[in-house]
Amino acid sequence: MSESEATVTRVATAAASSSPAHRQPWWRNAVIYEIYVRSFADGNGDGVGDLIGIRSRLDHLAELGVDAVWLSPFFASPMADGGYDVRDYRAVAPEFGTLDDFDALVADAHRLGIRVVIDVVPNHTSHEHPWFTEALAAGPGSPARDRYLFRPGRGSDGAEPPNNWESVFGGSAWTRVTEPDGRPGEWYLHLFAPEQPDLNWRNPEVQSEFRDVLRFWLDRGVDGIRIDVAHGLFKAEGLPDDTADREGILDTTPRPYWDQEEVHDVYRDWRALLDSYPGDRMAVAEAWLPTLERMSRYVRPDELHQAFNFAFLSTDFDPGAFREVIDATVRTLAEVNALPTWVLSNHDVVRHTTRYGGGEQGLRRARTAVLVMLALPGATYLYQGEELGLEQVTDLPDEVLQDPVWRRSGYTDRGRDGCRVPIPWDGDQPPFGFGERSWLPVPEAWRTRTVAAQTTDPDSTLRMYQQALGVRRVLGGSARLDWLDTPDTVLGFRTDSGLVCTANMGTDPVEINVPGELLVSTQQVHVSGVTTVLPPESAAWWRA
Ligand code: NOJ
Ligand code: CA
């Protein structure tokens, strides 16, 4: 056992014996790993990831040391948007498995001490949801149409959409339907693809249906929910025209369809429902908002537990910018008594290795940023493959692209498939143990990035993640940080749990005073005496 492992064990024993009065809910400082189900592991050889595939790879997650997984939607769906278009909220899509597979996955995960968070999609259903089929058949003015947002068109013959709203995926947010009598009729709203009609959350039946869906999954033992488009459920009364142009899929400009006051009533209601279950069931909001202050309103004490901090994800690799966003986050959330929720990548954004410049530099920076993130107070979300240092795949052939963004943007935006390429597990031929084949091609170059290859390489990104998560189990769990006095390019802070993180975000080596005992680092750090040199674009953790 190395010196640092010995230290870690001692602290662990102390933590385990602390009184139950100090017990914190599991999610407070959790590391939650996002599984994009289609791309994680294929258990039946059809080229598409599935629930039995995930079960067969749970040991990877246990060895990595995560506290929970968040599964992207695996519900019955025509898959117009990778499953974010749900046909039946209580059924598993056949391509992903069965309800029994799901129950078995939850049981196996729980046995390994891994919690399970599922993805709830309340803003819209699939156009194949029975409610939508019923609405089309029932015609204008019917109760079935009132579950969605149907409106007459503008202009003398109603041929113009009801307002100027644009779809997040490009094009108008309205599609005109053919009425049961065969004539062109009303329009329905879809903030995303036409296959994803928006629900009317002012309709009580919609509200009670989702309460019921939540109970269905909570009763099956899920530990939490990720709420898709959590800021979108209500649209401003009268559906007024939008006044600003859209700026792509990650746009955070205030809009008449985002962040309306009424969403908070729903989350107060859901919080009470979650609280009525034993075992700290939690909810995390996916909400792209213009300010941290607007974000903090989703995690007020009687609302949701977490909201992804997309301001952090959107920050450039720059020490000043990092420090500013970290400070602002901690401060703003403290005002509502909440801890931050950090994230660098997910299935909607370009992988952070690539955002930070790609290649060796991108990887160096990604490793640095993740050590910073994992040292911060609060919870952290990881995205499958980042522990392998995977990059965005930017050269997928046109004909394999499946993201609706590709077509809806008139083939100008290649969409999000590049971060959804299947995980390389082992072997030396694509798809590297993902399955016999894969729905997106896996780059040859990932041969050296497989889980197997990285497991045997002590300097690999995977080993660094494992080490960091091991230390975090013991010295994580912090609620505050204090900045250290460091040179400009260095980010240095100490948490109240005794962890010190130093990150040299500049391109020159920097000498600093040794802040404690070295625990983990992204590059070799030589400590001799009272000072040490931090290599360019590197981070290290120290025990104060
Ligand atoms: C956010 C999800 O993360 C994304 O993948 C999806 O396309 C949209 N919401 C619409 O459901
Ligand atoms: Ca499969």
Side-chain angles (χ1 to χ4, degrees):
M1 191 185 277
S2 75
E3 173 58 17
S4 66
E5 276 169 333
T7 314
V8 166
T9 317
R10 279 199 302 278
V11 191
T13 319
S17 62
S18 67
S19 78
H22 292 102
R23 197 194 68 88
Q24 299 285 1
W26 69 270
W27 46 265
R28 222 177 98 97
N29 295 96
V31 175
I32 303 179
Y33 181 99
E34 178 187 358
I35 293 184
Y36 192 70
V37 176
R38 172 174 296 272
S39 304
F40 190 68
D42 177 15
N44 67 351
D46 65 355
V48 175
D50 48 42
L51 300 179
I52 51 171
I54 299 171
R55 269 182 84 196
S56 73
R57 295 290 186 183
L58 281 176
D59 55 340
H60 170 65
L61 302 174
E63 275 153 33
L64 184 57
V66 301
D67 301 295
V69 290
W70 145 35
L71 306 175
S72 64
F74 50 81
F75 316 108
S77 161
M79 306 285 167
D81 181 23
Y84 283 97
D85 49 320
V86 182
R87 183 197 286 133
D88 182 348
Y89 288 86
R90 296 174 186 79
V92 174
E95 50 270 70
F96 294 148
T98 63
L99 261 184
D100 285 345
D101 293 337
F102 177 77
D103 291 340
L105 171 58
V106 172
D108 282 2
H110 283 172
R111 251 193 304 280
L112 291 169
I114 298 173
R115 315 229 179 201
V116 178
V117 173
I118 62 161
D119 207 323
V120 174
V121 189
N123 181 68
H124 43 264
T125 68
S126 159
H127 67 139
E128 290 185 12
H129 190 284
W131 273 4
F132 195 70
T133 317
E134 194 188 329
L136 289 182
S142 60
R145 286 224 171 158
D146 189 58
R147 296 185 188 122
Y148 292 91
L149 293 158
F150 281 87
R151 293 290 183 277
R154 287 196 281 201
S156 55
D157 53 0
E160 297 292 315
N163 68 24
N164 71 351
W165 295 1
E166 281 175 55
S167 150
V168 173
F169 292 160
S172 171
W174 295 93
T175 291
R176 195 172 195 184
V177 303
T178 305
E179 298 299 354
D181 65 7
R183 274 185 281 199
E186 290 190 319
W187 298 69
Y188 69 90
L189 180 72
H190 52 86
L191 291 179
F192 296 88
E195 296 88 347
Q196 294 166 296
D198 279 56
L199 286 163
N200 171 18
W201 271 85
R202 295 200 172 87
N203 180 317
E205 216 186 324
V206 170
Q207 304 216 4
S208 72
E209 167 66 1
F210 274 90
R211 250 178 244 126
D212 208 62
V213 166
L214 294 187
R215 277 195 214 96
F216 178 87
W217 293 102
L218 291 167
D219 288 342
R220 300 195 99 82
V222 309
D223 300 285
I225 55 168
R226 178 254 191 199
I227 305 170
D228 187 60
V229 202
H231 57 318
L233 310 195
F234 289 83
K235 283 69 182 175
E237 292 280 11
L239 310 182
D241 271 351
D242 199 356
T243 49
D245 286 344
R246 278 209 63 84
E247 286 160 29
I249 180 164
L250 309 181
D251 174 68
T252 57
T253 314
R255 310 268 173 196
Y257 42 85
W258 295 148
D259 199 26
Q260 303 295 306
E261 202 48 43
E262 295 101 313
V263 296
H264 297 287
D265 296 333
V266 171
Y267 300 139
R268 280 186 205 101
D269 181 51
W270 286 14
R271 176 60 179 257
L273 176 65
L274 290 162
D275 285 350
S276 73
Y277 281 81
D280 297 323
R281 313 294 175 103
M282 56 76 72
V284 55
E286 188 233 10
W288 293 84
L289 297 160
T291 63
L292 285 161
E293 192 275 324
R294 294 307 293 185
M295 183 192 80
S296 72
R297 304 172 83 248
Y298 288 74
V299 289
R300 288 177 289 196
D302 58 345
E303 297 193 38
L304 305 176
H305 306 76
Q306 301 176 338
F308 293 115
N309 181 1
F310 292 129
F312 179 68
L313 178 151
S314 311
T315 300
D316 288 341
F317 189 85
D318 171 87
F322 257 56
R323 186 178 169 138
E324 212 176 292
V325 72
I326 292 167
D327 261 343
T329 303
V330 174
R331 193 174 0 97
T332 310
L333 290 179
E335 280 164 26
V336 293
N337 227 337
L339 284 180
T341 301
W342 309 98
V343 59
L344 284 170
S345 278
N346 64 33
H347 66 283
D348 290 327
V349 301
V350 172
R351 284 189 178 274
H352 58 277
T353 39
T354 306
R355 294 203 312 268
Y356 293 155
E360 277 175 27
Q361 183 181 46
L363 184 58
R364 247 186 348 257
R365 290 175 162 189
R367 289 166 60 123
T368 304
V370 84
L371 271 207
V372 170
M373 173 169 78
L374 287 170
L376 294 170
T380 295
Y381 281 76
L382 304 177
Y383 176 50
Q384 66 181 33
E386 68 166 83
E387 77 278 24
L388 307 175
L390 297 187
E391 284 192 25
Q392 188 79 0
V393 178
T394 51
D395 58 357
L396 288 169
D398 292 1
E399 63 276 11
V400 303
L401 297 180
Q402 302 216 357
D403 186 351
V405 169
W406 173 231
R407 191 167 51 82
R408 302 267 313 160
S409 68
Y411 307 102
T412 55
D413 181 339
R414 302 186 67 77
R416 301 160 292 176
D417 291 317
C419 65
R420 300 174 177 177
V421 171
I423 295 299
W425 293 97
D426 44 43
D428 50 18
Q429 290 303 322
F432 303 112
F434 167 75
E436 288 155 32
R437 45 209 171 102
S438 60
W439 69 281
L440 285 175
V442 182
E444 295 270 356
W446 285 8
R447 177 171 297 118
T448 56
R449 298 291 180 85
T450 63
V451 172
Q454 295 203 35
T455 301
T456 53
D457 171 5
D459 297 324
S460 70
T461 300
L462 175 60
R463 291 282 287 269
M464 187 196 86
Y465 268 73
Q466 288 171 336
Q467 240 186 316
L469 293 185
V471 172
R472 188 187 152 104
R473 268 184 191 265
V474 179
L475 287 180
S478 67
R480 54 166 291 166
L481 62 81
D482 291 304
W483 295 101
L484 305 178
D485 192 15
T486 50
D488 278 356
T489 62
V490 175
L491 216 61
F493 58 89
R494 183 197 166 125
T495 70
D496 56 336
S497 56
L499 183 65
V500 173
C501 176
T502 54
N504 176 7
M505 297 179 75
T507 47
D508 295 316
V510 177
E511 189 178 83
I512 60 159
N513 291 330
V514 173
E517 174 202 351
L518 182 64
L519 298 171
V520 190
S521 60
T522 66
Q523 315 274 332
Q524 284 283 336
V525 176
H526 299 284
V527 183
S528 59
V530 292
T531 62
T532 186
V533 174
L534 296 177
E537 303 185 325
S538 78
W541 282 6
W542 314 81
R543 198 181 127 88

